[in-house]
Amino acid sequence: MNMIRNLAGLLIILFLLPIAMCAFSFTASLPFTYTEVFDELSLHQLRETLLISYDMEAGYDALTFSLRNRDFILSKVNDKLILHPGTQIFLAGVDELHFEERGTVIYVCYRKGTKEYERAIASARGFYLDSFSDCDVHDDVADCDEGGLYHQSGSGLQEPDGG
């Protein structure tokens, strides 16, 4: 019985081998450019940076924003999309590049040779941590439902019922 299973498996493999060889030769002849993959990876890193940035302003040829209390400019310099101060290159070999703000999304539009690309990179409204919290950080007054839970006494926090 095992011999019959082994022979059946071998016959199935022999019948599928020519189909697999055709599939491999077809996919090997497909044109593939690594520059598009590298561009997508670098734009993904740029999106991560812009996600935590604030005070974003998109112009036609530059995107300015603040990150960790420093001001940054993203613009095209010598056929490259560069974040400065410093030098962090996101796209290389760019013939033309500009930024567009449509609704609440900022797009980078660029051309490399004869191909044109348009990618969403950030939200125009920005990301503010204050919009996720209803706590006032400027004073110690409790917000919302926290006010009735505890109150301050001379010896520390006590429960409202006096215990």
Side-chain angles (χ1 to χ4, degrees):
M1 190 67 168
N2 279 340
M3 183 66 115
I4 295 173
R5 289 182 187 166
N6 289 340
L7 286 176
L10 188 59
L11 283 175
I12 291 171
I13 290 173
L14 287 176
F15 285 129
L16 291 178
L17 191 60
I19 296 171
M21 292 302 293
C22 288
F24 287 139
S25 65
F26 176 72
T27 56
S29 65
L30 290 175
F32 185 78
T33 57
Y34 287 99
T35 57
E36 291 180 15
V37 175
F38 294 145
D39 289 349
E40 288 299 321
L41 288 173
S42 63
L43 287 175
H44 179 74
Q45 291 174 341
L46 176 61
R47 286 183 195 105
E48 288 178 349
T49 301
L50 293 175
L51 180 66
I52 58 174
S53 66
Y54 48 93
D55 296 336
M56 198 175 311
E57 293 183 25
Y60 184 78
D61 59 349
L63 178 69
T64 60
F65 61 93
S66 297
L67 180 65
R68 297 184 190 107
N69 296 326
R70 292 180 57 199
D71 293 331
F72 290 93
I73 300 172
L74 185 67
S75 63
K76 180 184 173 221
V77 177
N78 295 334
D79 297 334
K80 295 174 181 70
L81 179 62
I82 294 181
L83 179 65
H84 44 89
T87 305
Q88 186 172 0
I89 300 172
F90 287 102
L91 297 173
V94 177
D95 296 326
E96 193 272 329
L97 182 136
H98 66 275
F99 297 95
E100 291 181 8
E101 187 173 335
R102 294 186 215 141
T104 61
V105 180
I106 298 175
Y107 291 87
V108 61
C109 305
Y110 60 98
R111 183 174 45 86
K112 285 185 164 188
T114 58
K115 291 188 177 182
E116 293 186 5
Y117 303 93
E118 180 177 293
R119 302 288 187 259
I121 57 170
S123 171
R125 289 185 293 168
F127 178 73
Y128 297 100
L129 290 178
D130 291 340
S131 62
F132 290 98
S133 175
D134 60 351
C135 296
D136 191 6
V137 295
H138 297 294
D139 56 7
D140 289 332
V141 177
D143 286 343
C144 296
D145 298 331
E146 297 173 0
L149 294 178
Y150 297 97
H151 64 275
Q152 185 90 18
S153 71
S155 62
L157 291 177
Q158 295 181 347
E159 293 184 16
D161 60 14

